[in-house]
């Protein structure tokens, strides 16, 4: 393994290490060439830790007697989670179209790619809008934020997901405008393909969150038991 | 001096550089890692002084109760809380990583700057914002929060705790903003270390300071989310009335709307952050002290590879010990056993490090310069605090000692004073690089001896108070059956020492200002250090650090007193041929 050999080498003997900085001469300014993908991956790891911690508390909290799972009884809103899945399809479509945009960009069809980028952004916004409508619907049914911890978690987790998506929308929108303005001469391939990666990540995260918030109390009890949490 | 010249020659040619123009871009909206480091440093030291004043006020109250009428029980709790939080997060974390991390990473690795200079600048301004939000809480109605630095709910957000309205909200907001700042900075440090090392700087040739900063940053990136999660959920409990952490509760005779939440859940989250936080502070300190010890003992660091592995091992283990802070929360004995075991295991790599520092000194050519004094002082205070930690790691010993002054003594030794010792060592050590001037030696020695001896005068008696059962976070002891009146005299003594130590820090501040204004330019590389950060042609290094061409690294950072070489150190960027040249007998050695 590379990491292993790297941290076991004998520092006082090592021959040499070639740096990616070869071409960074001062005349070109001090900008340092960076491979941005690992940076995004690290960021995604951090975001995963962030959501995982919420989920761990969710599982623990779900075992307290006052927790009423949103998919528990047939009168609960997500007993039939159809509407949630419908919303999810917007996010799925956004992800697919974005991947298409990257493909078009790679094959130098910049115009088409920009169009796809625009559509992808609209779909993402549509997703957020329909989530807001869903919030509205839930509140009208009387499922307030504070009336039950299950509701609190649902609003909290989905909102945090939306905030991450919004940040992505800002970045992707900025890239879109940038490429547009340059009349397609500067195509920013790296940035846009990283955005696509981020989108897919958020999609997977979303599906996970939907599955989590629409599971039955029995499932929670089972997961909690696996983690050694037994309160009831 | 020929060897040194090999280093200089590279940077000698004047090169056209994209230097920032104008005072504002150079010093305020700067993207240069060195300037950002100094901005971080000054801000952190400033809030640190606020925290120091708060500790002085607390000590006045404890040493001479019923004397200072402006300190009421609420104010005392607010002082405790703000003191603790500022010291741990806004001073130590910010100064070690934002300050020294920023300054040292590019220079020690031979990079021109951080890989994302703009993000680096944003990181500082975001940090400054978090500090301002924190300080703002002193001025809102109700004052800052008095919940203790651990901010445990339910009391943190309930009436009766000082600052339960605005204070706690501002504290949580400030922490969230700080975490954003840290994440921006941290991504930068990690990426720079992984991607911007110069030629020849393999991972295992990095100085230990970089290893410490690297692993600490990784810990921070993974642990701060836990604090953020708990801060978000507590803010929502407070503002929107959810019950994540809040149980059904009657407060001041009134039944509140909360129900069913779990305060212990918060404790788990908090300490899942809180324990790694100890190492976020300790690991950079471990690394930096290794540099100082090696340079001033003119010896290579003992067991370099083991030191690296120990840092990594401590980093990994630090995520599985958190519940040793919660032995009294009523946890199952099985968990207690587990966490006691992991806690004792983490002592192994830690002890390895201490042995290696001592063995580095052994038969070294020790120069008792001011940085070296502080570094050796650190070995004492850290060993001391580490040993009491071994006691507290055991459930049966912790139960009676928990929440007593024994704990206060322990954590001040291990994570209060020890990193501070290293910070002082580091400031005295790297000041010539940062400013081109050496801090005044005489003042430095006074500063060291008063601080070091004062530390023991303050914290040793606290352990004893803890044995007697004196509880922590108490405004006054009042009349208790179990403590002798001598407790009060001891407290008065501690206060006197604390005030002396506090005032002695003014020597240091004065020294800084005096040296910057009146100090003479010192020689280049005054400590004759081998590591790369000392090799630029001028101090402070110019924008872009390395002049026209990047340095090339031929060796590790610890070539001191190499046999058969005249000069007693070989800079990292000196090739083997130059040494062969120099190993021939010469008239004068350096
Ligand atoms: C001259 C130096 C210092 C003095 C005199 C001092 C004094 C004190 C005092 C009197 C307390 C309150 C004890 C109580 O009533 O429970 C305290 C708490 C604390 N101090 Fe310090 N301290 C100093 C430096 C530091 C440093 C450098 C740190 C950095 C880690 C630190 C971290 C803390 C923490 C975390 C608490 C606990 C706060 C809480 O209970 O919520 N202190 N200190
Ligand atoms: Cu701990």
């Amino acid at each position: 393994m590379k990491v292993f050999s790297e941290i076991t080498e004998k520092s006082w003997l090592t021959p040499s290490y070639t740096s990616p900085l070869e071409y960074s001469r001062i005349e070109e300014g001090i900008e340092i060439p960076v491979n941005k993908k690992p940076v995004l991956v690290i960021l995604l790891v951090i975001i995963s830790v962030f959501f995982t911690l919420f989920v761990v508390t969710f599982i623990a909290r779900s075992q307290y007697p006052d927790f009423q799972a949103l998919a528990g009884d047939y009168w609960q809103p997500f007993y039939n989670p159809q509407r949630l899945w419908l919303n999810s399809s917007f996010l799925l479509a956004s992800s697919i179209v974005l991947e298409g945009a990257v493909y078009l960009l790679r094959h130098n069809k910049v115009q088409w790619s920009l169009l796809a980028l625009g559509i992808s952004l609209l779909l993402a916004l549509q997703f957020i809008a329909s989530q807001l409508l869903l919030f509205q619907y839930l509140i009208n049914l009387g499922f307030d934020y504070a009336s039950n911890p299950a509701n609190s978690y649902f609003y909290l987790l989905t909102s945090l997901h939306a905030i991450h998506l919004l940040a992505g929308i800002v970045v992707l929108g900025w890239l879109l405008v940038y490429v547009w303005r340059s009349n397609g001469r500067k195509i920013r391939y790296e940035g846009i393909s990283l955005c696509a990666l981020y989108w897919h990540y958020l999609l997977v995260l979303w599906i996970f969150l939907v599955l989590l918030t629409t599971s039955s109390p029995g499932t929670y009890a089972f997961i909690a038991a696996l983690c050694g949490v037994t309160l009831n | 001096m020929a060897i040194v010249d090999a280093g200089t020659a590279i940077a000698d040619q004047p090169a056209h550089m994209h230097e920032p123009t104008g005072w504002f871009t150079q010093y305020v909206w700067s993207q240069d890692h060195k300037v950002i480091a100094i901005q971080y440093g000054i801000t952190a030291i400033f809030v640190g002084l606020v925290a120091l004043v708060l500790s002085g006020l607390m000590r006045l109250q404890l040493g001479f109760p019923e004397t200072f009428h402006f300190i009421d029980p609420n104010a005392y709790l607010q002082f405790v809380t703000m003191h603790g939080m500022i010291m741990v997060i806004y001073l130590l974390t910010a100064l070690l990583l934002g300050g020294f991390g920023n300054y040292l990473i590019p220079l020690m690795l031979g990079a021109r700057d951080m890989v994302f200079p703009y993000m680096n600048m944003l990181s500082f301004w975001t940090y400054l914002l978090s500090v301002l939000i924190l300080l703002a809480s002193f001025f809102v109605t109700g004052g800052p929060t008095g919940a203790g630095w651990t901010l445990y709910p339910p009391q943190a957000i309930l009436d009766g705790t000082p600052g339960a309205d605005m204070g706690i909200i501002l504290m949580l907001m400030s922490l969230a903003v700080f975490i954003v700042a840290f994440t921006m900075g941290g991504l930068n440090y990690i990426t720079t270390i992984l991607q911007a090392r110069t030629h020849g700087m393999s991972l295992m040739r990095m100085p230990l300071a970089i290893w410490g900063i690297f692993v600490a940053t990784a810990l921070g990136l993974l642990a701060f989310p836990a604090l953020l999660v708990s801060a978000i959920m507590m803010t929502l409990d407070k503002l929107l009335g959810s019950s994540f952490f809040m149980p059904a509760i009657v407060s001041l005779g009134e039944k509140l709307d909360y129900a069913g939440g779990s305060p212990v859940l918060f404790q788990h989250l908090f300490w899942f952050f809180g324990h790694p936080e100890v190492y976020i502070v300790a690991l950079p300190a471990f690394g930096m002290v290794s540099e100082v010890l090696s340079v001033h003992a003119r010896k290579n660091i003992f067991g370099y590879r083991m030191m690296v592995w120990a840092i990594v091992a401590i980093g990994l283990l630090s995520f599985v010990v958190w519940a040793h802070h919660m032995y009294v929360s009523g946890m199952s004995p099985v968990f207690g056993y587990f966490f006691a075991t992991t806690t004792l295991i983490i002592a192994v790599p830690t002890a390895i490090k201490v042995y290696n520092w001592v063995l580095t000194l052994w038969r070294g050519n020790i120069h008792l310069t001011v940085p070296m004094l502080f570094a050796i002082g650190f070995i004492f205070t850290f060993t001391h605090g580490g040993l009491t930690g071994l006691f507290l790691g055991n459930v049966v010993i912790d139960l009676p000692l928990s929440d007593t002054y024994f704990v206060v003594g322990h954590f001040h030794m291990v994570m209060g004073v020890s990193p501070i010792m290293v910070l002082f060592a580091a400031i005295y050590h790297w000041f010539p690089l940062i400013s081109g001037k050496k801090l005044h030696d005489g003042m430095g020695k006074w500063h060291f001896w008063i601080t070091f001896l004062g530390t023991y005068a303050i914290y040793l008696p606290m352990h004893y108070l803890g044995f007697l059962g004196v509880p922590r976070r108490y405004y006054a002891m009042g009349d208790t059956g179990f403590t002798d009146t001598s407790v009060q005299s001891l407290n008065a003594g501690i206060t006197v020492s604390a005030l002396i130590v506090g005032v002695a820090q003014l020597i240091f501040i004065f020294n800084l200002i005096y040296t910057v204004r009146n100090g003479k330019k010192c020689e280049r590389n005054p400590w004759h250090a081998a590591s790369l950060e000392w090799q630029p042609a001028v101090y402070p290094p110019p924008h872009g650090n390395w002049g026209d061409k990047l340095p090339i690294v031929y060796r590790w950072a610890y070539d001191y007193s190499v046999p058969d070489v005249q000069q007693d150190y070989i800079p990292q960027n000196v090739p083997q041929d130059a040494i062969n040249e120099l190993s021939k007998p010469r008239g004068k050695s350096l």
Side-chain angles (χ1 to χ4, degrees):
Chain A
M1 251 172 62
K2 188 155 163 285
V3 182
F4 188 74
S5 66
E6 270 185 57
I7 68 163
T8 49
E9 84 185 16
K10 297 197 169 64
S11 28
W12 51 98
L13 299 178
T14 336
S16 75
Y17 157 82
T18 2
S19 159
L21 299 185
E22 192 80 63
Y23 309 105
S24 149
R25 289 178 62 89
I26 195 81
E27 295 88 62
E28 291 142 28
I30 60 169
E31 199 149 313
I32 297 169
V34 206
N35 180 0
K36 298 212 180 67
K37 191 163 172 190
V39 185
L40 179 62
V41 171
I42 296 175
L43 189 63
L44 296 184
V45 170
I46 297 172
I47 297 176
S48 307
V49 171
F50 179 70
F51 276 95
T52 307
L53 288 165
F54 276 114
V55 169
V56 170
T57 67
F58 177 94
I59 293 297
R61 188 71 179 79
S62 72
Q63 297 311 295
Y64 285 77
D66 64 331
F67 189 94
Q68 292 187 330
L70 284 173
D73 292 313
Y74 65 89
W75 49 270
Q76 293 276 28
F78 294 144
Y79 187 74
N80 176 358
Q82 212 175 28
R83 186 154 173 183
L84 208 46
W85 286 117
L86 190 70
N87 290 356
S88 313
S89 65
F90 290 119
L91 194 59
L92 175 68
S94 178
S95 224
I96 293 174
V97 176
L98 184 50
E99 191 57 39
V102 174
Y103 175 86
L104 290 168
L105 203 57
R106 193 162 51 232
H107 292 83
N108 257 325
K109 301 208 169 62
V110 182
Q111 304 278 320
W112 288 106
S113 173
L114 286 183
L115 182 65
L117 282 181
I119 295 175
S120 169
L121 280 176
L122 286 180
L123 283 166
L125 287 170
Q126 172 68 53
F127 165 75
I128 292 179
S130 25
Q131 274 301 117
L132 287 176
L133 289 175
L134 179 63
F135 280 12
Q136 180 91 59
Y137 168 77
L138 288 177
I139 291 170
N140 286 343
L141 284 182
F143 289 86
D144 290 344
Y145 168 79
S147 52
N148 194 275
N151 310 358
S152 311
Y153 269 111
F154 177 76
Y155 288 111
L156 174 60
L157 290 173
T158 52
S159 307
L160 286 171
H161 179 274
I163 290 174
H164 284 82
L165 186 60
L166 274 175
I169 289 176
V170 170
V171 174
L172 190 59
W174 187 84
L175 286 170
L176 174 63
V177 172
Y178 183 91
V179 179
W180 183 288
R181 285 268 195 79
S182 75
N183 277 327
R185 273 191 302 278
K186 302 185 181 142
I187 58 170
R188 288 288 180 146
Y189 179 75
E190 191 189 18
I192 292 173
S193 65
L194 289 182
C195 276
L197 177 59
Y198 185 68
W199 243 249
H200 305 332
Y201 170 83
L202 285 185
L203 177 66
V204 174
L205 176 65
W206 175 255
I207 291 173
F208 176 76
L209 290 179
V210 171
L211 289 176
L212 181 80
T213 45
T214 58
S215 294
S216 67
T219 316
Y220 297 145
F222 178 70
I223 303 176
L226 279 185
C227 307
V229 186
T230 40
L231 296 163
N232 283 357
Chain B
M1 288 301 288
I3 290 191
V4 176
D5 286 343
T8 346
I10 296 168
D12 267 351
Q13 308 103 3
H16 165 67
M17 302 211 291
H18 294 254
E19 277 214 61
T21 45
W23 189 84
F24 244 86
T25 40
Q26 204 169 351
Y27 295 111
V28 182
W29 304 118
S30 173
Q31 300 187 22
D32 186 319
H33 71 101
K34 299 181 290 296
V35 179
I36 295 173
I38 292 169
Q39 292 172 326
Y40 253 113
I42 291 176
T43 315
I45 291 176
F46 171 74
V47 277
L49 287 175
V50 174
L52 183 73
V53 171
L54 292 176
S55 73
L57 293 173
M58 289 186 291
R59 279 317 318 175
L60 284 177
Q61 164 60 30
L62 293 173
F64 310 101
E66 293 168 38
T67 319
F68 301 94
H69 294 292
F70 65 97
I71 309 178
D72 58 14
N74 279 348
Y76 183 83
L77 288 176
Q78 293 171 320
F79 295 166
V80 176
T81 308
M82 296 304 271
H83 161 81
M85 195 63 100
I86 292 179
M87 285 289 188
V88 175
I89 310 265
Y90 299 86
L91 169 71
L92 291 181
T93 310
L95 188 50
L96 283 161
L97 293 174
F100 279 96
N102 247 319
Y103 207 93
L104 294 179
I105 292 172
L107 279 167
M108 281 189 157
L109 298 181
R112 295 210 182 280
D113 208 310
M114 289 290 175
V115 286
F116 304 118
Y118 184 74
M119 196 158 86
N120 205 15
M121 177 183 81
L122 276 187
S123 165
F124 167 70
W125 290 102
T126 317
Y127 163 64
L128 185 65
L129 178 66
S130 76
V131 169
L132 293 178
I133 297 175
L134 184 80
L135 294 181
S137 71
F138 280 103
F139 302 101
V140 295
T141 37
T145 172
W149 89 283
T150 45
L151 307 178
Y152 283 177
Q155 46 90 12
I157 58 175
L158 291 184
D159 286 343
T161 305
D165 285 321
M166 284 304 285
I168 183 74
I169 300 284
L170 285 177
M171 170 64 87
L172 295 171
M173 263 174 62
S174 167
L175 286 173
V177 174
F178 180 91
I179 293 167
V180 173
F182 180 87
T183 307
M184 289 194 282
L187 276 177
N188 233 331
Y189 309 155
I190 296 275
T191 316
T192 307
I193 292 173
L194 290 180
Q195 299 196 15
R197 283 168 286 135
T198 189
H199 308 290
M201 183 64 82
S202 60
L203 285 180
M204 291 307 269
R205 276 182 180 170
M206 299 197 304
L208 288 174
I210 299 297
W211 271 106
I213 291 168
F214 178 56
V215 176
T217 307
L219 293 188
L221 290 176
L222 298 177
F224 271 116
L227 182 64
L228 185 58
V229 166
S230 50
I232 290 175
M233 299 199 338
M234 187 144 77
T235 311
L236 292 174
D237 276 3
K238 171 78 191 169
L239 292 181
L240 299 183
S242 48
S243 301
F244 293 120
F245 301 134
M246 300 297 284
I249 204 163
V250 175
S251 167
L252 304 176
E254 201 184 326
K255 187 179 175 315
L256 304 181
D257 281 341
Y258 298 115
S262 161
V264 176
L265 213 52
F266 177 90
Q267 298 191 13
H268 280 293
L269 280 176
F270 182 87
W271 288 112
F272 187 75
F273 146 77
H275 189 87
E277 169 63 25
V278 175
Y279 289 99
I280 293 168
V281 169
L283 291 180
F286 288 176
M288 280 155 45
V289 83
S290 308
E291 305 302 317
V292 175
L293 287 170
S294 165
V295 172
H296 296 267
R298 313 310 295 161
K299 239 187 94 187
N300 62 308
I301 194 79
F302 187 91
Y304 171 85
R305 295 202 300 165
M306 222 189 283
M307 292 296 250
V308 172
W309 300 334
I311 289 177
V312 175
I314 293 173
L316 292 176
L317 285 170
S318 71
F319 279 105
V320 289
V321 298
W322 78 89
H324 62 208
H325 297 273
M326 300 166 56
Y327 289 151
V328 291
S329 70
M331 66 166 66
S332 128
V334 183
F335 282 142
Y337 180 76
F338 172 81
F339 284 104
T341 311
T342 51
T343 303
L344 296 186
I345 291 176
I346 212 171
V348 175
T350 314
I352 290 179
K353 297 197 73 74
V354 175
Y355 290 131
N356 284 0
W357 289 320
V358 175
L359 286 168
T360 302
L361 294 178
W362 190 53
R363 301 182 74 180
N365 177 5
I366 297 175
H367 295 46
L368 287 180
T369 54
V370 179
M372 186 62 154
L373 287 174
F374 275 106
I376 296 175
F378 159 82
I379 300 183
F380 279 90
T381 56
F382 184 72
T383 308
H384 181 128
L387 287 175
T388 50
L390 284 182
F391 288 82
L392 291 173
N394 292 282
V395 186
V396 281
I397 305 180
D398 182 69
L399 291 186
L401 287 177
S402 182
D403 270 331
T404 67
Y405 262 83
F406 189 86
V407 175
V408 178
H410 154 71
F411 72 67
H412 275 96
M413 284 312 266
V414 79
M415 81 156 316
V417 176
S418 299
I420 293 275
M421 284 280 170
V422 176
L423 277 172
F424 284 137
I427 293 175
Y428 283 99
H429 180 74
W430 277 293
F431 202 74
L433 177 65
I434 296 170
S435 71
K437 298 165 179 181
K438 233 175 172 168
L439 285 167
H440 189 275
D441 203 54
M443 281 193 259
K445 290 207 163 120
W446 276 102
H447 177 215
F448 168 73
W449 283 109
I450 299 177
T451 307
F452 180 67
L453 296 178
T455 292
Y456 275 89
I458 299 170
Y459 297 112
L460 267 189
M462 284 194 190
H463 294 81
Y464 176 64
L465 290 181
F467 280 136
L468 295 183
V470 177
R472 82 188 260 210
R473 292 179 181 163
Y474 266 41
Y475 162 71
M477 282 300 287
D479 295 321
T480 59
F482 62 90
T483 51
D484 195 73
T485 44
S486 64
V487 163
Q488 194 46 49
S489 4
L490 202 50
N491 257 332
I494 295 177
T495 296
V496 172
S497 316
L499 293 181
I500 295 175
V501 170
V503 172
Q505 305 314 308
L506 292 179
I507 307 180
F508 170 67
I509 301 291
F510 177 77
N511 197 350
L512 287 180
I513 297 170
Y514 172 85
T515 307
V516 168
R517 295 178 129 214
N518 306 335
K520 285 199 301 289
K521 274 248 166 268
C522 67
E523 57 175 312
R524 211 176 136 273
N525 200 352
W527 314 115
H528 298 177
S531 46
L532 202 55
E533 81 274 17
W534 293 97
Q535 311 313 326
V538 282
Y539 295 168
H543 187 62
N545 293 347
W546 305 104
D548 186 40
K549 269 176 70 192
L550 288 179
I552 298 178
V553 166
Y554 296 95
R555 57 193 68 254
W556 69 340
Y558 302 102
D559 268 342
Y560 295 102
S561 315
V562 179
D564 301 331
V565 180
Q566 287 271 332
Q567 182 172 290
D568 83 332
Y569 71 107
I570 313 174
Q572 273 189 289
N573 57 346
V574 171
Q576 195 58 37
D577 335 344
I579 303 168
N580 299 341
E581 193 60 25
L582 266 137
S583 327
K584 292 174 195 144
R586 270 198 310 168
K588 212 173 99 218
S589 68
L590 200 100

